[in-house]
Amino acid sequence: MPVSEQGLPDWLLPVARAARTIEPRQLSRFLPPENGSGRQSAVLVLFGEGPPAGPATTRGSSVRGSTTQGRGPAPTGEPTRAPALAPGGAPHRRAATGEPGAADGSTPGAYAGARHPDLAGAAERGGAREAERARGAVAPALGPPFVGPGGPELLLMERAGTLRSHAGQPSFPGGALDPEDGDPAGDGPLRAALREAEEETGLDPSGVQLFGVLPRLYIPVSEFVVTPVLGWWRRPSPVAPVDPAETARVFTVPVAELTDPANRAVAVHPSGHRGPAFLVGGALVWGFTAGVIDRILHFAGWERPWDRERHVPLDWRA
């Protein structure tokens, strides 16, 4: 399958450059086993440009003119704000929205991110930018991309609240490779990422331009080998939950909200593991998904200083 940077918008070029230069251990110390074991999977990290804001278009609650299903704030014509933190760092609602369940083999958006000490702890190692730049993996700090109507955004989905595991947790579209996807060491992850995104959100894969692939990550607790595939939503199509029993909603989050320090925090699991979190789109994004977003913002030079002492406690069910 073709992977090309041709025709990308200028604001997305820092992400493409980072994907070309980043080393696996700059994402995680857990690398795929050399013996080739592990369940191969892929997620689609899909960037787009939102339509001009208006009464019928609300980021975080509707996408591309289609009404998303499941819970979430009603459209207001304004960008959706994340829930405020209560005193002591706890959100006013239960912090149960995080990572979908790859640990149980359902969808590899989950990978038990709170139990992934290296990726989950990436937010607390923000002081390593100079050392990383010296290794040639960090693009110049250009600041976040243009903010405003029609600005950059990222596609996410939220698992149904009735699921037995990882209920109500946001993630990238994605899943395990099927035999028809092809070689896991070749185009298999690319096909799987697009196929899973179509099956879960209904997007038209022909409108997606793949422009990069991040290094594969290994999740020891679930034995998943995860390939994050980067895409540009060149020709947007309507999206919504294909199976409401599994997906509560499909939504976009403006990159401006992801880079806003007011929307960032550190998720703290009872096990002691900590990792980046984003309070956006009416949900708490944490775990594997938040870790990947955090590293993309960092290596693209979009990261803004944020308070790493702002904590969001999770419970054992997270």
Side-chain angles (χ1 to χ4, degrees):
M1 297 187 67
V3 177
S4 172
E5 299 177 15
Q6 185 175 2
L8 291 180
D10 289 344
W11 61 263
L12 198 49
L13 294 179
V15 178
R17 286 194 294 266
R20 293 197 307 267
T21 58
I22 193 171
E23 297 293 333
R25 291 195 179 277
Q26 292 172 315
L27 288 180
S28 173
R29 64 188 175 93
F30 293 112
L31 304 182
E34 294 183 359
N35 62 6
S37 63
R39 189 177 183 187
Q40 301 292 328
S41 59
V43 295
L44 180 64
V45 184
L46 184 60
F47 291 91
E49 286 184 346
T57 304
T58 303
R59 287 174 181 167
S61 60
S62 65
V63 182
R64 307 304 181 196
S66 70
T67 302
T68 55
Q69 303 177 26
R71 60 191 181 87
T76 63
E78 297 295 333
T80 303
R81 301 299 297 177
L85 291 184
H92 290 297
R93 60 186 180 81
R94 183 173 68 88
T97 53
E99 189 60 33
D104 61 7
S106 54
T107 125
Y111 323 118
R115 290 167 285 176
H116 193 318
D118 191 72
L119 181 62
E124 300 185 49
R125 298 194 300 274
R129 173 178 287 273
E130 292 304 321
E132 290 167 334
R133 181 179 289 116
R135 290 195 293 269
V138 180
L142 302 176
F146 174 76
V147 176
E153 60 185 15
L154 192 63
L155 181 70
L156 296 175
M157 51 177 276
E158 184 175 302
R159 286 169 61 85
T162 55
L163 294 177
R164 295 178 57 185
S165 62
H166 304 284
Q169 298 179 349
S171 71
F172 302 117
L177 269 68
D178 287 346
E180 58 267 28
D181 292 324
D183 186 1
D187 290 346
L190 308 182
R191 293 191 180 92
L194 290 174
R195 175 183 54 76
E196 286 284 342
E198 181 180 16
E199 292 175 358
E200 293 172 336
T201 74
L203 70 77
D204 181 359
S206 68
V208 175
Q209 174 183 337
L210 302 182
F211 68 88
V213 179
L214 294 179
R216 293 184 302 163
L217 306 176
Y218 182 61
I219 314 300
V221 68
S222 61
E223 299 184 343
F224 272 98
V225 176
V226 190
T227 302
V229 179
L230 305 178
W232 159 236
W233 212 350
R234 176 177 291 280
R235 294 192 308 276
S237 55
V239 292
V242 173
D243 184 356
E246 294 187 0
T247 305
R249 62 176 175 138
V250 181
F251 62 106
T252 56
V253 176
V255 173
E257 292 190 16
L258 293 168
T259 61
D260 187 346
N263 296 334
R264 302 209 57 177
V266 173
V268 182
H269 195 272
S271 63
H273 296 304
R274 303 183 177 200
F278 299 85
L279 294 102
V280 292
L284 174 65
V285 183
W286 63 278
F288 177 84
T289 299
V292 171
I293 294 173
D294 172 80
R295 295 293 81 194
I296 288 175
L297 298 181
H298 176 72
F299 287 114
W302 294 348
E303 186 177 31
R304 297 165 60 188
W306 57 280
D307 184 7
R308 287 171 172 77
E309 297 303 317
R310 188 187 189 205
H311 293 169
V312 177
L314 304 170
D315 60 34
W316 282 106
R317 292 170 292 178

